[in-house]
Amino acid sequence: MATKGYLSISALWLLLLSIQVSLGDDELRLANGPGPCAGRVEVKHEEQWGTVCDGDWKIEDAEVVCKQLGCGSAVQALNRAPFGEGSGPTWLYRLDCRGDESALWNCSHPGWGVFTCPHYFDTGVICSGFSGLRLTGGDSACSGHLEIRQEESWATVCYLHIDFKAASVICNELECGQAVDILRGARFREGHELIWQEEFQCIGNETHLAHCPRMLHHSKTCSHDATVVCSGYGGYRLAHGPTTCSGRVELLHGGMWGSLCDYLWDFAAANALCQQLDCGVALLIPSGQAFGKGNGSFWNGTFGCEKNGSHLRDCRVSVLGHTDCPAGKDAHVVCSGCPGTRLVNGTVCSGTVEIRHGDKWGRLCSSHWNLQAASVLCNQLNCGYAKSIQTGDLFVDGNGHVWRDAFHCEGTESCLWDCAHVTLGNPSCSAREAATVVCSGLAESLRLSGGESRCDGRVEISLHGMWGRVLDDDWDIKDAHVVCRQLQCGTAKKAYYPPRSERGMGLVGLRSVQCAGNETQLMLCKTSHSETVPVGVAEDVGVICSGSRLIRLVNGTKHCAGRVELYNDGIWGTVCDDNWDLSDANVVCKQLGCGHAINAFASAHYGEGSGQIWLDDVNCTGAESDLWACPSRGWGQHNCRHKEDAGVLCSEFLALRLVNGNDCAGRLEVFYNGTWGSICSNRMSQLTAVTVCRHLNCGDGGEIARDFKYGRGSGPTWLDHIECTEQHSSLWQCQSDPWDPQSCDNRAEETHISCTGRKRAVTPGAFIECPNSTTCTDKEKLRVTGGEDGCSGRVEIWHQGSWGTVCDDSWDMSDANVVCRQLGCGSAVSALSEATFGEGTGPIWLEKVHCKGTELSLWDCPAQLLSDKNCNHKEDAAVDCSGVTETTASPTRADPPRRPAAESGRITTPIILCIILGALLCLVLAILGGQFQSARAQQRGSRQSYDPFAEAVYEEIDYSLMREKQQVTGLSDSYPEGLPTKAHLYTEDSDEENSPGITQEGPSLPGNTLEDNYDDVTEAPGPTEDPLSEQNEQEIIVVPEESEGSRDSETECHPEWNPNAPGNRTSEAERENSSPPLEDIAYDDIEELGY
């Protein structure tokens, strides 16, 4: 009986609990109105419907009601029972809403049912039912099919549901003048369109369509849509340019497109047009017929906008005529093509930073804003570089929406949106915490182009609003000092002439510059102006300033994890892991805007780098602003190899996965702050689930699973209230609440997602785990598909969670060579275009790739993310590689094992013939060698005595590719005392490789670094002085071109030592007297003793 009683009490408690839960589900509705989005406000609480009473019912209160019901924005907030008196209790009284609450009862109020109010004080609301309207498919923004935004979709309005009065209200709301006509549009395809179910009954004097009375039609069928034509401008476009943001200016007037003939066309007008077309700012006004003649029709007039920030429809063309246009008066422009950014509340080149998401502009939060990103913005606005981002309250007015994007820029991007950017989880910002910038301004007429930062590269100058080259045949360090000083880039480290592949094109701004070195601007030096390049006179000039130092993380899947690399003196190099710890890693993470360090990795955790090792024995306190400010051995001073390259994992490193199911279905988890945690599903839409599936390369469809079959998580619940839009290609770009390890109220809120697709199988198999691995290498993020093997096909790269193709614009053999080398497929046979191996699918990630051909990775080449739709999969780039790895003599890189020639399946008839002839030649040589040895043995037998030094015998020490330990002893005893050189023996696995007994002569330079697996004996004489030293400041580093004729014989014999390469230059006298370098990196070459 006791047991039965206990069970009865338990059942009773469960029943009471279920009643309590059901009573807690409050509801909201609008009653007795003309439709679902207008009526008396009623609330269901404790299973009973009641009303809301408020003598001070305001629009913010009504806004919460409309938003909660998905009815757009509030049009009117009404009281005194405008939709009749209700019944039941008065549940809510004297509400005080801010307007952003998620539910009406979340607003401030005295409590539930605390006051009984007469029902003639019942409140009412009229919601718009929609959040926007537009005209689409017409010749301009002022004519086309009428569409209304309903939640996240656009609904088409039926032709029978509007009249001319409604059209007048629409044209007025869109600032498109007066209504001209209503046309019967296209016939509806049944089941394909979302149809607006209300008829608008406007008076004609309403300011917004939402204010018009409406009548609900329950029928979901309609024969034709409504097309509205307003009297506003016809429209503008840029025609016959290489991109959608450059070309000849054309105007639509009277139903006909014609070129704009503007006698007063200038940079101000061009800049206004570029901004209105969402093409950034004007960069250039080309002269002549750069974009063709057009169709021969012209509209004469003067273009101008009435005010800053006005709509394009406000930019009128006055005195329209239709006559011929004198030569040179038709309008042309080249815009930057960088949409969605601007400066407000200041000048053209200073102010508060605003960015646009979709159609909504907002201030940018300053929490992650830095000088590097600011300089990219200034450059895209044609405003020089960023001088300051600390402006106090100078441009801040405390108004407007705030976007929380964090931009991680390298500094060489063309547009701010080309930088990696993350919004997910970023902290909230007030409007007074908006990002600001002061750019150097339009007067700053100097820039460095084509380098790794704004402080190194080819010198260019802007004269009369157009950028031109600087040419000089006597360019020296004094001239370079002036350039660096003017750009606030520190002091000059190098003055050089770029090689042919890096030279500029186009007009020449200055030539024959002669500076004393103390001038503040290049224009203050002795110069001459020239718009043409005299044959054989002067070359483009370049500068590397001390302010060009950069830091990056390489081979991590995202920007906040990877191998640490530094850019110094124009060269990228790594950091040795000796004494590498969290304090050092913290400085790196902080410098990159990546939070704090989670792990400080050693032993080339993210793969071995190549080239220079810049720093060793780094010993940071953690408070330094730059890694190179920490104590260390000094630049280039080290006793390391690349197997000791340092790496970091920062707290802002993000990763995404689905667990407890398969790759494309499971519980959603995000990696943040070094820990995997769940994501909450509150307010999550299906569009967000689709974004997750695309992010994970799991197809274009997905849904939130409600059965919770993928189990509960155990770690933190990192995020809640994630909201993605159609513009977001990655989950990292979506809005959400800030990071919080306790974002969910309970585990039932965790997100479970099932995607419709499956991850594509990729070949070769090494790629399968790469995209979701934190140790993914550059090589694994590149592949070729559609060919007969892994060395030919369409080029595809991994970016932002999916594979995509490369546009063939400017694709050439230099680009193809880099791809083939990176894949271990030898050199390029051909660089193919126009989808030779078939059209790809998915995104097109890159366009305008400009490799020199010497880069180790495609990621090292200048390129830009596809910024517009001027490229499609018919233009996919491809390569055909030789499949055979070429032997190189570079001692600065330990190349991974390459595929043998046989693997590629490319053994052709000429190769077979070469093999046969080679075998015959070897046989003949073997016979001759045997006869020679026999004759020599007979000659030796006839000698009376034997002198061991009568002839020199040289022996090559074999080089082991298997990296076995070499046990070589007694080498120093083999030679007489007093020899001028001593053989130092290096073996890779020696226990004493880092001991004090093994020293280095000085900083290791590119092309002169001892690499793994070499026994280097005497070092070949090289330059007596470091060309980077202060003593050689006046020297110019010249990068010569390859001549058409024969090369210097010494260079031909020793390709690894280029006497004219940066860092290896010597004078003519030194070259004549210097000994040749080590002949072959695969041998221990002992210097000839001179007997």
Side-chain angles (χ1 to χ4, degrees):
M1 288 295 293
T3 303
K4 289 183 179 181
Y6 175 76
L7 292 174
S8 299
I9 293 173
S10 299
L12 180 61
W13 275 110
L14 288 173
L15 178 62
L16 290 174
L17 182 61
S18 65
I19 293 174
Q20 184 178 0
V21 170
S22 65
L23 291 178
D25 294 334
D26 300 317
E27 298 180 31
L28 180 71
R29 71 182 180 189
L30 296 177
N32 206 34
C37 291
R40 182 176 59 250
V41 181
E42 293 190 352
V43 177
K44 184 180 180 181
H45 182 67
E46 295 180 353
E47 291 300 303
Q48 185 177 5
W49 286 100
T51 60
V52 176
C53 173
D54 198 335
D56 189 25
W57 184 248
K58 56 187 185 300
I59 196 70
E60 288 82 4
D61 308 324
E63 187 71 28
V64 174
V65 172
C66 295
K67 183 171 64 175
Q68 184 176 351
L69 292 173
C71 284
S73 58
V75 175
Q76 286 182 283
L78 306 170
N79 54 23
R80 294 185 177 271
F83 297 100
E85 297 183 9
S87 60
T90 302
W91 279 128
L92 295 174
Y93 171 69
R94 286 191 178 275
L95 288 141
D96 184 15
C97 301
R98 298 186 308 273
D100 58 355
E101 291 85 355
S102 59
L104 185 64
W105 40 84
N106 291 342
C107 300
S108 175
H109 63 87
W112 291 94
V114 297
F115 183 76
T116 301
C117 187
H119 281 293
Y120 56 79
F121 282 112
D122 286 346
T123 59
V125 165
I126 297 177
C127 305
S128 67
F130 54 89
S131 56
L133 58 91
R134 67 184 182 185
L135 300 176
T136 65
D139 291 328
S140 71
C142 290
S143 65
H145 308 293
L146 176 61
E147 292 184 350
I148 288 176
R149 187 174 182 87
Q150 187 175 14
E151 295 184 0
E152 295 182 357
S153 302
W154 288 93
T156 305
V157 178
C158 181
Y159 171 70
L160 297 176
H161 290 173
I162 65 168
D163 56 14
F164 195 82
K165 293 179 180 178
S168 296
V169 175
I170 292 166
C171 291
N172 180 61
E173 182 174 350
L174 292 176
E175 299 181 6
C176 282
Q178 302 298 316
V180 175
D181 202 358
I182 305 174
L183 304 175
R184 179 177 300 193
R187 179 178 294 274
F188 278 112
R189 295 173 297 165
E190 186 172 354
H192 286 272
E193 286 89 0
L194 178 63
I195 301 173
W196 185 257
Q197 298 182 40
E198 292 179 324
E199 177 184 347
F200 293 95
Q201 299 175 337
C202 303
I203 299 173
N205 59 0
E206 294 89 349
T207 58
H208 292 81
L209 186 63
H211 295 173
C212 296
R214 284 169 275 174
M215 183 173 68
L216 180 65
H217 287 263
H218 294 286
S219 173
K220 295 185 178 180
T221 60
C222 183
S223 59
H224 296 81
D225 67 351
T227 296
V228 176
V229 180
C230 305
S231 65
Y233 83 109
Y236 298 95
R237 71 182 181 187
L238 297 177
H240 295 280
T243 70
T244 56
C245 288
S246 61
R248 185 179 58 256
V249 182
E250 291 190 348
L251 169 68
L252 178 66
H253 185 68
M256 183 173 67
W257 285 100
S259 299
L260 175 63
C261 183
D262 190 344
Y263 286 73
L264 301 178
W265 183 250
D266 57 11
F267 246 86
N271 205 50
L273 180 62
C274 288
Q275 292 183 26
Q276 297 299 345
L277 292 175
D278 201 18
C279 283
V281 297
L283 298 179
L284 181 66
I285 299 179
S287 57
Q289 295 181 344
F291 302 115
K293 296 180 179 180
N295 59 7
S297 298
F298 292 93
W299 289 114
N300 301 86
T302 303
F303 176 90
C305 287
E306 297 175 3
K307 59 184 182 298
N308 290 334
S310 59
H311 295 286
L312 187 57
R313 61 185 64 90
D314 296 323
C315 304
R316 307 294 182 182
V317 175
S318 58
V319 198
L320 278 174
H322 192 55
T323 60
D324 292 336
C325 188
K329 298 303 180 183
D330 51 335
H332 301 83
V333 65
V334 175
C335 306
S336 66
C338 297
T341 51
R342 67 186 183 189
L343 297 177
V344 299
N345 292 348
T347 66
V348 175
C349 292
S350 65
T352 300
V353 181
E354 282 197 343
I355 61 174
R356 193 190 69 241
H357 280 283
D359 297 327
K360 187 173 182 179
W361 286 93
R363 312 295 167 87
L364 176 65
C365 180
S366 62
S367 61
H368 288 77
W369 188 238
N370 57 38
L371 269 174
Q372 202 145 314
S375 283
V376 172
L377 177 61
C378 290
N379 179 64
Q380 90 171 48
L381 295 175
N382 203 24
C383 286
Y385 59 89
K387 298 181 72 173
S388 174
I389 59 174
Q390 304 296 331
T391 61
D393 295 332
L394 183 59
F395 307 115
V396 177
D397 57 9
N399 299 320
H401 182 78
V402 179
W403 295 113
R404 296 178 290 162
D405 297 67
F407 291 92
H408 299 272
C409 300
E410 295 178 1
T412 57
E413 295 87 352
S414 300
C415 306
L416 188 62
W417 286 110
D418 291 343
C419 302
H421 64 282
V422 175
T423 304
L424 194 77
N426 288 343
S428 57
C429 253
S430 71
R432 301 204 64 83
E433 298 173 291
T436 60
V437 65
V438 176
C439 304
S440 58
L442 297 173
E444 186 58 72
S445 57
L446 202 65
R447 71 182 181 188
L448 298 177
S449 177
E452 293 286 328
S453 71
R454 75 169 191 88
C455 291
D456 72 298
R458 187 180 64 253
V459 183
E460 294 182 351
I461 192 165
S462 177
L463 298 175
H464 311 298
M466 297 183 8
W467 288 101
R469 302 152 62 194
V470 176
L471 305 185
D472 197 343
D473 52 8
D474 191 24
W475 185 249
D476 60 25
I477 200 72
K478 294 179 182 177
D479 308 324
H481 275 310
V482 177
V483 172
C484 294
R485 183 181 299 114
Q486 182 175 349
L487 293 176
Q488 295 187 9
C489 284
T491 58
K493 302 295 291 291
K494 284 184 184 178
Y496 68 97
Y497 295 122
R500 179 181 293 275
S501 61
E502 296 180 17
R503 292 179 186 173
M505 300 177 63
L507 298 176
V508 176
L510 289 179
R511 57 181 299 270
S512 299
V513 179
Q514 294 181 354
C515 300
N518 56 1
E519 295 88 349
T520 57
Q521 293 186 13
L522 195 64
M523 289 296 293
L524 298 179
C525 302
K526 294 180 181 179
T527 60
S528 65
H529 300 262
S530 176
E531 294 187 357
T532 59
V533 183
V535 178
V537 178
E539 300 182 63
D540 287 272
V541 298
V543 169
I544 296 177
C545 306
S546 60
S548 64
R549 285 176 182 163
L550 297 172
I551 187 170
R552 69 182 181 186
L553 299 178
V554 179
N555 271 5
T557 54
K558 297 293 183 298
H559 63 273
C560 286
R563 181 177 65 248
V564 182
E565 292 194 352
L566 303 177
Y567 184 70
N568 182 55
D569 284 348
I571 301 169
W572 282 105
T574 61
V575 176
C576 183
D577 63 10
D578 292 346
N579 298 321
W580 185 253
D581 58 20
L582 273 178
S583 297
D584 310 320
N586 261 322
V587 174
V588 173
C589 294
K590 182 174 63 175
Q591 187 174 352
L592 290 170
C594 287
H596 61 272
I598 300 296
N599 270 320
F601 291 111
S603 303
H605 178 82
Y606 291 102
E608 295 184 16
S610 61
Q612 182 63 275
I613 297 176
W614 275 128
L615 295 181
D616 189 13
D617 288 328
V618 179
N619 186 19
C620 302
T621 64
E624 294 86 355
S625 58
D626 303 305
L627 186 65
W628 44 82
C630 301
S632 69
R633 285 192 175 202
W635 289 99
Q637 303 290 328
H638 66 90
N639 61 352
C640 305
R641 296 185 177 92
H642 283 294
K643 65 182 181 181
E644 302 170 76
D645 286 342
V648 300
L649 172 67
C650 303
S651 60
E652 296 291 321
F653 172 80
L654 303 175
L656 198 67
R657 69 182 183 185
L658 293 170
V659 298
N660 284 6
N662 55 51
D663 285 342
C664 293
R667 187 179 68 254
L668 184 61
E669 288 193 344
V670 63
F671 185 86
Y672 173 74
N673 201 25
T675 305
W676 286 101
S678 300
I679 291 178
C680 315
S681 59
N682 294 311
R683 289 215 313 248
M684 185 175 289
S685 65
Q686 184 180 0
L687 183 56
T688 300
V690 169
T691 305
V692 169
C693 293
R694 288 175 179 166
H695 185 124
L696 293 173
N697 196 28
C698 286
D700 294 327
E703 59 183 15
I704 302 173
R706 302 296 181 185
D707 50 7
F708 303 105
K709 64 180 179 180
Y710 301 115
R712 295 188 175 187
S714 58
T717 54
W718 278 126
L719 289 170
D720 198 5
H721 297 142
I722 298 178
E723 297 179 3
C724 301
T725 67
E726 294 174 353
Q727 287 76 33
H728 295 142
S729 59
S730 162
L731 188 70
W732 313 139
Q733 300 165 8
C734 302
Q735 302 286 327
S736 74
D737 288 348
W739 295 104
D740 183 350
Q742 297 179 339
S743 292
C744 300
D745 292 334
N746 55 70
R747 293 288 173 180
E749 296 179 4
E750 291 178 321
T751 303
H752 297 242
I753 288 180
S754 177
C755 302
T756 57
R758 289 292 177 266
K759 288 182 185 265
R760 288 183 295 162
V762 293
T763 54
F767 294 132
I768 294 176
E769 297 182 359
C770 165
N772 288 328
S773 169
T774 57
T775 59
C776 181
T777 64
D778 281 355
K779 180 178 177 180
E780 292 168 329
K781 289 185 282 188
L782 177 74
R783 69 181 184 186
V784 289
T785 61
E788 61 183 15
D789 55 24
C791 288
S792 65
R794 182 177 60 253
V795 179
E796 295 190 355
I797 62 174
W798 177 266
H799 180 65
Q800 291 186 349
S802 65
W803 289 100
T805 61
V806 177
C807 184
D808 64 9
D809 291 350
S810 74
W811 185 255
D812 57 21
M813 284 294 289
S814 296
D815 310 318
N817 264 320
V818 173
V819 170
C820 293
R821 184 186 305 113
Q822 187 175 341
L823 291 173
C825 289
S827 59
V829 176
S830 56
L832 305 169
S833 58
E834 297 181 351
T836 304
F837 289 95
E839 296 181 18
T841 59
I844 301 174
W845 284 127
L846 290 179
E847 65 171 342
K848 296 179 181 177
V849 180
H850 292 288
C851 298
K852 302 173 189 175
T854 58
E855 294 86 353
L856 299 176
S857 165
L858 191 64
W859 323 120
D860 297 333
C861 300
Q864 62 186 56
L865 293 173
L866 190 67
S867 57
D868 48 40
K869 301 300 182 184
N870 67 323
C871 197
N872 55 49
H873 283 297
K874 294 180 180 179
E875 303 169 77
D876 285 342
V879 297
D880 186 13
C881 307
S882 67
V884 180
T885 304
E886 298 176 358
T887 303
T888 63
S890 170
T892 63
R893 176 175 173 83
D895 288 328
R898 307 292 195 187
R899 68 179 70 221
E903 286 182 18
S904 67
R906 297 172 181 272
I907 300 178
T908 60
T909 302
I911 294 177
I912 296 173
L913 290 175
C914 288
I915 294 173
I916 295 172
L917 292 174
L920 291 174
L921 180 60
C922 290
L923 180 61
V924 171
L925 290 175
I927 294 171
L928 291 175
Q931 293 177 351
F932 177 76
Q933 289 294 334
S934 176
R936 191 168 186 177
Q938 292 175 4
Q939 182 181 3
R940 285 180 179 176
S942 64
R943 291 183 181 177
Q944 297 297 324
S945 61
Y946 177 68
D947 182 0
F949 290 99
E951 56 181 328
V953 179
Y954 299 91
E955 185 174 345
E956 294 182 337
I957 303 173
D958 197 13
Y959 166 57
S960 172
L961 289 175
M962 299 302 294
R963 301 194 172 199
E964 297 177 352
K965 291 188 176 181
Q966 300 177 8
Q967 303 296 332
V968 183
T969 59
L971 185 61
S972 60
D973 298 328
S974 301
Y975 300 97
E977 197 170 346
L979 283 178
T981 56
K982 181 179 179 180
H984 294 277
L985 189 63
Y986 295 86
T987 58
E988 176 179 338
D989 294 315
S990 171
D991 294 331
E992 300 175 357
E993 65 179 348
N994 293 326
S995 67
I998 296 180
T999 60
Q1000 288 187 237
E1001 294 297 323
S1004 175
L1005 295 176
N1008 221 11
T1009 306
L1010 300 180
E1011 187 61 15
D1012 295 357
N1013 304 319
Y1014 295 92
D1015 295 335
D1016 298 298
V1017 188
T1018 53
E1019 193 168 343
T1024 57
E1025 293 180 302
D1026 185 352
L1028 307 184
S1029 68
E1030 294 297 327
Q1031 297 174 0
N1032 284 338
E1033 271 190 331
Q1034 305 298 331
E1035 285 197 321
I1036 311 302
I1037 285 68
V1038 181
V1039 182
E1041 305 163 18
E1042 294 184 3
S1043 63
E1044 296 295 332
S1046 61
R1047 299 179 180 176
D1048 183 275
S1049 61
E1050 184 179 42
T1051 306
E1052 233 174 75
C1053 292
H1054 309 288
E1056 71 274 36
W1057 174 253
N1058 182 355
N1060 289 325
N1064 294 338
R1065 210 162 62 89
T1066 62
S1067 66
E1068 287 295 333
E1070 288 170 327
R1071 284 200 295 269
E1072 290 173 4
N1073 296 327
S1074 62
S1075 299
L1078 298 179
E1079 182 70 16
D1080 191 330
I1081 63 172
Y1083 297 95
D1084 295 334
D1085 298 311
I1086 302 174
E1087 188 171 358
E1088 199 164 326
L1089 302 180
Y1091 288 100

